[in-house]
Amino acid sequence: MNQIKLSKMELRNFKGVKGFTLNIGGQIASIFGENGKGKTTLYDAFLWVLFGKDSANRADFSVKPQDPSGKDIHYLETDITIEFLINGQSKTLRKMLKEKWTRKRGTSTDEFSGHETSYWVDTVPVKAKEYADVINSIINETAFKLLTNPFYFCTQLTWQDRRKTLMEICGDVSDEDVIASDQSFSELTNILNGKSINDQRKIITEKIKMLNSQIEEIPVKINELSRTVLGEEINYSVVEAGLLEHKASLRKIEQSMTDTSQLASEYRRKQQEAFKLGNAIEERKKELDAETGAGSRLLTDEKAKLENEKYRLETITLLTKSKIKDKESVLAENEAKLVTLRETWTTENAKQFVDPDPNVFVCPTCGQDLPTDRIEHRIKEMRESFEHSKAQAMDKARSEGKAIGAKQKTLADEIESLKTNLMNDELKMTEIDERLTELNKEIEAGQKHFGSANYEADEKYQLLKSQYQTILDELNKPVEDTTSDPLQQKAKITEQIETLNKLLNTKEVAMKTKARIEELKEEERTLANQLSDFEKQKYLIEQFIKAKVNLLEGNINSRFKIVKWKLFDVQINGGISECCEAMVDGVTYPNVNHAGKVNAGLDIINVLAGHYGCTAPIWIDFRESVSRIIDTQSQVINLIKSEPDKTLRVEVSN
Ligand SMILES: Nc1ncnc2c1ncn2[C@@H]1O[C@H](COP(=O)(O)OP(=O)(O)O)[C@@H](O)[C@H]1O
Ligand SMILES: [Mg+2]
């Protein structure tokens, strides 16, 4: 452990101190004096020599002495010399600040032109840079300040720097270390699944919140559903039985309605039978009539036959006549055509070629008369053409005449044959007419002779008639109207069945609802299980956090005698945030009294000194308010207010 101790400090013109020598030889010192006598000024001087700032962190030039009105007193040299004992070796540092005054040529007054600071190390003048390097080689500035000022760590560092320093000193504890520290945390590795404790805690908290709200909703849903089900508790077995009964009734009614319609068709059948019997009776009457007048029937039959034959012949005759007429007109037309053809032939035959006037032959292109040889040739052509067309016309007339002549022969034969047929048919018709006249006379005579038949004497007729009467009687029986009543009944029962069916439908709904309620209950159980899982996880994480806090804080706090460090802030929402706050007897540092703060500071300096491997003089201002300070290896310089001491008094002890 390196030891830096203050052996001696000489002040000249520093703040309110004109001159003072503190000679303590590296020992524990107590400096007494009433207020305003310059105790704090000594510490300021100490800091100023080392770091250029006083205990209030003010810069260089405020250290110059001022007059009572607060004005700088000029031409003074502010000069401090400090002698350290570093591991017993003397090291002297001197720093002097003085004003620079220059007189311009031709004037009699000096003018202030700035300050000048001079440095010495072990009485050797050095530059500012060298001077700083020497100090830094003894110990770095922050460490020096931390080790000399018991308040520095807790008031001048940010909490992050404090925490960092503590971690440097005591070592951090990783999440893995915490998990490994306790078997019950082994599950956490799975739960975290690579996420940080804080992130996973947030996720789980969110899930718990969600599950809780889901679970809360379920009883509401179940309540709503149960209301619809329980509101109308229905005995479905009664409904089902009723439905069966009504359906049976409906079947009966429908059966009876079918019966009724069968009655109607029976009635129609009887009507038809009556109609048939009526016809049969008439037939029978005719038969009886016919039996009675069988002779007259032969006559009438022959008459009918002859009338038919006559009708047939009349029709044929008409047809034959029309055919003859048609063919005769064709024959006449052809005859006329033959006359024309003959005339044509005669006319053509009489035609002679007449030589044309040779003068009329002109060239069709140039309009000049054609030469004679050409004319003769042309006339020859014309004659030939004439003869040719004449022969053609005559041939045409002849051949056409020949063809028509042939047709005329056939036609004449056909007409002849038709006429023969016509004559025969007309002869037949005359014969039929004669026979018909005879028959009519015979029939008329017969009718007068035969009387009408006696139907009532006929057995078959009697039977038919009695059957007919029976059916008529049945048909005439009054028919009771059985249809309207069952219709009404059917409608009524159908309606009842519908109502019951509707009720049964509600059974289905009710069953579904009950099933849904069960489902919801199941869901509730599942959610509750999930919730309990997450709550277990949350609990585990909380335990983990506590363990981590304990582990880390325990580790760190074990090194301190008075101070307990609060390194984690467990927030209201269960989160954990890092912090770094000193606590003394459960009181957070800012609220600790001066004595507590001093001892806490010493406690901290003791640990820090161990860490830096170095002690330095600790200045304890207002020491009079601290009755007892804790042990420290460092040299302590107590600044004690003491009314009786009108000038500074120094006591040293081992
Ligand atoms: N620059 C200065 N010039 C002159 N006097 C000063 C200057 N700064 C402080 N003082 C005075 O020096 C005196 C010493 O103060 P201080 O060291 O705080 O006394 P103590 O700590 O013993 O109570 C005070 O009365 C203060 O007014
Ligand atoms: Mg003071």
Side-chain angles (χ1 to χ4, degrees):
M1 179 81 75
N2 292 321
Q3 292 194 322
I4 302 168
K5 288 183 175 172
L6 179 65
S7 177
K8 196 174 165 188
M9 187 162 73
E10 286 179 46
L11 290 78
R12 269 199 310 129
N13 300 319
F14 186 85
K15 289 193 172 178
V17 178
K18 276 196 176 69
F20 184 79
T21 299
L22 176 71
N23 201 340
I24 53 176
Q27 294 200 288
I28 292 168
S30 294
I31 301 160
F32 303 86
E34 66 171 335
N35 280 343
K37 288 298 167 214
K39 301 181 293 294
T40 305
T41 305
L42 295 180
Y43 181 45
D44 288 337
F46 176 82
L47 290 173
W48 182 74
V49 169
L50 291 166
F51 312 116
K53 284 172 188 169
D54 65 7
S55 61
N57 224 13
R58 282 175 303 197
D60 257 352
F61 312 114
S62 57
V63 301
K64 283 160 65 179
Q66 292 170 342
D67 61 19
S69 66
K71 282 187 188 134
D72 284 355
I73 305 167
H74 298 298
Y75 309 111
L76 292 178
E77 288 176 345
T78 298
D79 187 358
I80 313 283
T81 304
I82 292 178
E83 189 192 334
F84 284 111
L85 287 173
I86 299 168
N87 297 328
Q89 293 266 310
S90 163
K91 173 73 71 183
T92 310
L93 300 173
R94 182 180 164 204
K95 185 173 175 180
M96 185 179 80
L97 175 81
K98 71 176 184 192
E99 293 172 349
K100 283 204 288 184
W101 294 89
T102 45
R103 181 170 302 179
K104 278 190 181 164
R105 213 174 291 157
T107 61
S108 58
T109 50
D110 292 341
E111 260 180 43
F112 177 70
S113 61
H115 291 99
E116 190 178 65
T117 312
S118 311
Y119 307 91
W120 292 263
V121 175
D122 294 332
T123 69
V124 181
V126 293
K127 298 254 157 54
K129 173 80 172 60
E130 279 175 78
Y131 183 79
D133 286 349
V134 169
I135 293 170
N136 239 325
S137 72
I138 299 168
I139 187 168
N140 84 56
E141 184 178 338
T142 312
F144 206 46
K145 284 176 178 169
L146 283 169
L147 293 174
T148 58
N149 178 356
F151 307 103
Y152 198 84
F153 190 77
C154 287
T155 59
Q156 302 298 310
L157 294 189
T158 63
W159 72 260
Q160 289 90 342
D161 284 342
R162 277 201 292 277
R163 202 173 196 280
K164 208 174 133 207
T165 311
L166 289 175
M167 295 302 162
E168 266 170 32
I169 295 170
C170 310
D172 199 353
V173 176
S174 72
D175 288 357
E176 288 74 25
D177 295 337
V178 183
I179 290 173
S181 75
D182 190 333
Q183 182 62 37
S184 63
F185 293 142
S186 58
E187 267 181 61
L188 268 177
T189 316
N190 281 336
I191 295 169
L192 292 176
N193 195 21
K195 293 193 183 74
S196 74
I197 281 281
N198 251 354
D199 282 354
Q200 188 60 21
R201 193 198 53 76
K202 275 183 201 156
I203 291 168
I204 288 174
T205 309
E206 184 65 38
K207 279 193 174 148
I208 287 173
K209 199 176 149 195
M210 202 181 72
L211 283 169
N212 269 326
S213 76
Q214 282 176 342
I215 289 170
E216 266 170 36
E217 277 170 19
I218 287 178
V220 180
K221 284 183 191 165
I222 290 179
N223 240 351
E224 272 170 20
L225 288 169
S226 339
R227 226 181 338 187
T228 61
V229 181
L230 303 173
E232 328 157 0
E233 194 66 79
I234 294 162
N235 189 342
Y236 289 107
S237 56
V238 172
V239 174
E240 273 162 357
L243 193 62
L244 282 179
E245 218 172 89
H246 279 82
K247 278 183 178 166
S249 307
L250 183 66
R251 267 198 300 281
K252 266 189 210 158
I253 289 168
E254 280 170 348
Q255 184 57 47
S256 82
M257 282 171 78
T258 320
D259 293 350
T260 310
S261 77
Q262 273 171 355
L263 271 178
S265 71
E266 181 68 5
Y267 184 81
R268 276 196 302 281
R269 194 188 59 74
K270 278 180 183 161
Q271 275 182 325
Q272 280 168 0
E273 206 182 320
F275 178 72
K276 275 184 197 161
L277 281 168
N279 279 347
I281 288 168
E282 283 311 304
E283 280 298 307
R284 186 58 194 156
K285 269 164 114 180
K286 274 185 194 161
E287 272 172 23
L288 290 172
D289 283 349
E291 275 169 26
T292 316
S296 91
R297 182 144 317 272
L298 287 171
L299 296 175
T300 38
D301 282 354
E302 193 193 345
K303 185 188 169 186
K305 259 186 212 162
L306 288 173
E307 276 173 344
N308 270 345
E309 179 59 10
K310 189 189 168 188
Y311 177 72
R312 193 184 69 83
L313 289 169
E314 275 171 354
T315 316
I316 290 175
T317 312
L318 279 175
L319 206 64
T320 312
K321 278 179 183 165
S322 131
K323 277 181 186 168
I324 291 169
K325 207 180 160 193
D326 287 348
K327 286 188 192 284
E328 277 175 345
S329 78
V330 173
L331 198 71
E333 273 169 32
N334 283 347
E335 207 51 50
K337 276 184 195 163
L338 282 174
V339 171
T340 317
L341 285 169
R342 259 179 234 122
E343 278 169 3
T344 309
W345 188 88
T346 316
T347 317
E348 287 294 324
N349 191 37
K351 277 183 186 166
Q352 291 297 323
F353 182 71
V354 182
D355 279 355
D357 181 359
N359 297 327
V360 301
F361 285 93
V362 278
C363 174
T365 32
C366 61
Q368 287 180 351
D369 291 347
L370 286 171
T372 321
D373 59 331
R374 291 285 300 273
I375 291 171
E376 274 170 11
H377 181 75
R378 182 84 187 99
I379 289 171
K380 194 180 165 232
E381 272 178 0
M382 288 168 77
R383 184 182 293 118
E384 277 167 11
S385 164
F386 171 81
E387 290 300 342
H388 179 72
S389 53
K390 178 182 169 184
Q392 259 190 342
M394 284 167 71
D395 271 357
K396 192 176 172 244
R398 191 170 40 241
S399 66
E400 277 180 16
K402 227 175 164 182
I404 292 172
K407 275 186 199 164
Q408 290 296 78
K409 177 77 181 76
T410 320
L411 268 173
D413 288 351
E414 282 171 1
I415 290 169
E416 197 51 42
S417 144
L418 283 170
K419 277 186 175 164
T420 313
N421 291 345
L422 183 65
M423 221 165 65
N424 287 338
D425 289 344
E426 277 172 348
L427 203 66
K428 274 183 203 161
M429 283 199 292
T430 319
E431 281 168 7
I432 287 170
D433 277 343
E434 281 168 6
R435 177 61 190 149
L436 278 174
T437 318
E438 271 173 36
L439 275 174
N440 281 337
K441 276 177 191 163
E442 278 172 34
I443 289 165
E444 211 175 310
Q447 269 173 351
K448 276 176 191 163
H449 176 69
F450 305 115
S452 59
N454 182 6
Y455 308 131
E456 299 302 328
D458 182 53
E459 243 178 69
K460 201 176 172 186
Y461 177 84
Q462 284 293 349
L463 182 68
L464 286 170
K465 221 176 161 192
S466 81
Q467 284 174 342
Y468 183 65
Q469 194 52 53
T470 316
I471 285 185
L472 277 190
D473 289 348
E474 280 175 22
L475 285 173
N476 286 334
K477 246 191 263 169
V479 183
E480 49 178 315
D481 182 11
T482 47
T483 48
S484 64
D485 192 32
L487 270 178
Q488 276 172 8
Q489 282 180 18
K490 189 185 170 185
K492 205 171 157 194
I493 286 212
T494 312
E495 203 176 292
Q496 283 166 340
I497 286 175
E498 270 172 22
T499 313
L500 291 174
N501 269 332
K502 271 182 199 158
L503 276 179
L504 270 187
N505 282 342
T506 67
K507 179 190 178 185
E508 223 167 88
V509 173
M511 272 161 61
K512 275 185 191 159
T513 310
K514 278 180 181 163
R516 177 74 189 124
I517 289 174
E518 283 312 309
E519 234 175 68
L520 283 169
K521 283 181 180 167
E522 184 55 40
E523 200 181 317
E524 194 179 19
R525 278 190 286 275
T526 314
L527 291 174
N529 284 340
Q530 285 177 9
L531 181 64
S532 113
D533 281 351
F534 282 124
E535 269 168 352
K536 270 183 213 151
Q537 291 182 12
K538 192 185 170 193
Y539 176 76
L540 205 57
I541 285 177
E542 280 164 1
Q543 291 307 107
F544 169 90
I545 289 171
K546 276 186 195 151
K548 182 170 181 175
V549 169
N550 289 339
L551 219 57
L552 196 58
E553 288 181 353
N555 188 18
I556 289 175
N557 288 333
S558 66
R559 293 163 194 259
F560 291 83
K561 288 198 174 72
I562 296 172
V563 178
K564 295 281 164 262
W565 291 101
K566 191 185 173 195
L567 296 167
F568 297 98
D569 215 2
V570 180
Q571 292 148 340
I572 300 166
N573 65 8
I576 183 169
S577 63
E578 292 180 342
C579 64
C580 186
E581 202 163 352
M583 315 271 292
V584 177
D585 296 328
V587 180
T588 52
Y589 185 85
N591 300 321
V592 173
N593 63 17
H594 183 71
K597 279 177 181 165
V598 168
N599 276 318
L602 290 175
D603 194 13
I604 292 164
I605 287 174
N606 283 343
V607 175
L608 291 173
H611 175 63
Y612 293 120
C614 184
T615 65
I618 303 170
W619 294 77
I620 304 176
D621 210 351
F622 306 104
R623 175 65 177 81
E624 70 282 355
S625 65
V626 186
S627 50
R628 208 182 64 82
I629 59 163
I630 62 164
D631 292 342
T632 173
Q633 282 186 288
S634 304
Q635 178 194 19
V636 174
I637 299 164
N638 299 299
L639 303 176
I640 302 163
K641 184 190 92 176
S642 157
E643 287 299 333
D645 292 293
K646 304 299 173 196
T647 57
L648 292 176
R649 177 172 62 86
V650 180
E651 272 179 20
V652 290
S653 60
N654 286 318

